[in-house]
Amino acid sequence: MNYSYIIIDDNQENALETKAIADGFSELSYLGIASDYDEGLNLILEHKPKLIFLEIEPANKKSNLSLALISELYRYLNVVPKIIVTTSKKELAFEAIQYEVADYFIKPVTRIDMMKSLLKIEKSKTNDQSIPSSSKVEPKTDIVPKVAKPETSSIIEPLILCIKSYGDYRYIDTRDIAYFQADNNSTDIHLNNGEMITAFKTLKHFEGVLSYPFVRIHNSYIVNSSCISRIHTGNSVCYIKNTAIKLPFSKSYKGNVDIIIAEISSGNYLEI
């Protein structure tokens, strides 16, 4: 997934904090920041981002930032971007839901908030594409017009990771990767078949270029969450499918492990 985005917030410091969090996700592409209604609307119409971070309870009332901006977008755009509200108050959450915003963040925005939201957006997009167009039901609301059908996209091919060294190109289907392990300034890539390949990039580099299902769970490990067969929160370990391998996860990355648990349970899932 790849989402271009803009930030609309009358507080420059808060806007930059949101941008700093977003910059940690390789799938997010920054387009600009606006500080008031008119500037924000013009920026949206000019760049047509896929994602908007919108403050709806501004400190400066003259900025005119509010949910009304969403209604205005329907006048000009066939496909309205996903809206994520970023504000310090909870009071407008219910009203924001009526506008069918993608998410509602209470400031300060955190990395976990961002990751959860991107996962939800990607999942909803996948579900939308799996439903025949003839059977889709348009949402009904008295506040904004019906949403135009989402843009169609081609089937996403599996990501191929190329490890290049002195003219040697090693191609790896990322679905075959079980986990990454840090080794000083290099990273060992462990495949499902037990093979290990060394790449002369840091683990932080891979964290920056890979998205879900690859999740950082420890200073030394990024795991393919599709390869996890068991998570023991008491012992702080993840088990890799069809192996005896147990990967530790650290307290600082516990939030990422919680996201893995939530994502697995949101699928075709039965808990006993």
Side-chain angles (χ1 to χ4, degrees):
M1 57 182 174
N2 186 22
Y3 298 100
S4 56
Y5 74 93
I6 66 170
I7 299 170
I8 304 177
D9 195 325
D10 67 321
N11 186 309
Q12 185 72 6
E13 182 179 350
N14 287 343
L16 292 175
E17 288 176 356
T18 300
K19 181 180 181 297
I21 294 294
D23 284 345
F25 293 82
S26 59
E27 55 267 54
L28 293 180
S29 175
Y30 171 74
L31 294 176
I33 293 176
S35 59
D36 60 41
Y37 183 102
D38 291 332
E39 185 183 1
L41 179 61
N42 291 339
L43 195 62
I44 294 168
L45 299 182
E46 179 181 357
H47 294 288
K48 297 181 176 63
K50 293 184 178 180
L51 192 60
I52 300 170
F53 296 98
L54 174 64
E55 169 63 76
I56 59 172
E57 191 72 11
N60 181 6
K61 299 301 180 183
K62 293 182 179 180
S63 68
N64 293 322
L65 295 181
S66 71
L67 290 166
L69 177 62
I70 301 175
S71 296
E72 187 72 1
L73 296 179
Y74 285 93
R75 295 181 55 194
Y76 303 103
L77 301 176
N78 290 327
V79 179
V80 172
K82 296 289 186 183
I83 309 291
I84 296 179
V85 170
T86 59
T87 188
S88 58
K89 298 183 179 180
K90 300 179 181 179
E91 287 79 0
L92 293 175
F94 179 76
E95 186 177 351
I97 291 172
Q98 307 309 306
Y99 279 78
E100 298 185 341
V101 299
D103 219 331
Y104 194 97
F105 291 171
I106 302 298
K107 294 178 180 176
V109 178
T110 67
R111 176 177 173 79
I112 296 302
D113 289 335
M114 191 75 71
M115 180 180 291
K116 288 179 178 178
S117 191
L118 292 176
L119 289 173
K120 286 194 294 185
I121 291 172
E122 186 65 14
K123 184 175 181 180
S124 67
K125 185 176 74 171
T126 302
N127 290 342
D128 240 358
Q129 293 171 352
S130 67
I131 302 173
S133 58
S134 60
S135 66
K136 288 183 181 179
V137 178
E138 297 289 348
K140 296 181 179 180
T141 173
D142 296 327
I143 298 179
V144 295
K146 292 181 179 180
V147 181
K149 292 182 180 179
E151 296 175 309
T152 57
S153 61
S154 58
I155 297 174
I156 299 175
E157 296 181 358
L159 176 65
I160 302 300
L161 182 64
C162 177
I163 307 300
K164 180 182 176 183
S165 177
Y166 302 105
D168 180 17
Y169 296 77
R170 175 65 187 267
Y171 301 107
I172 307 170
D173 188 327
T174 52
R175 294 174 300 181
D176 295 333
I177 298 173
Y179 63 96
F180 296 80
Q181 182 176 6
D183 184 9
N184 294 320
N185 290 324
S186 63
T187 300
D188 294 333
I189 304 171
H190 295 264
L191 307 185
N192 293 323
N193 63 7
E195 186 179 1
M196 189 269 285
I197 301 163
T198 297
F200 294 98
K201 297 286 185 181
T202 64
L203 195 67
K204 185 174 180 63
H205 171 81
F206 285 104
E207 182 184 18
V209 298
L210 295 173
S211 57
Y212 196 86
F214 293 97
V215 180
R216 184 82 174 260
I217 61 170
H218 189 278
N219 283 340
S220 297
Y221 295 102
I222 293 174
V223 68
N224 181 350
S225 58
S226 301
C227 294
I228 292 176
S229 63
R230 178 184 177 189
I231 297 175
H232 196 304
T233 56
N235 294 335
S236 299
V237 292
C238 297
Y239 293 72
I240 301 299
K241 289 179 181 178
N242 304 317
T243 73
I245 296 171
K246 296 184 291 185
L247 301 182
F249 62 84
S250 57
K251 184 177 181 180
S252 57
Y253 290 99
K254 176 61 165 55
N256 289 0
V257 175
D258 290 339
I259 289 174
I260 295 173
I261 293 172
E263 183 63 16
I264 292 174
S265 63
S266 66
N268 190 10
Y269 176 82
L270 175 62
E271 186 171 297
I272 301 174

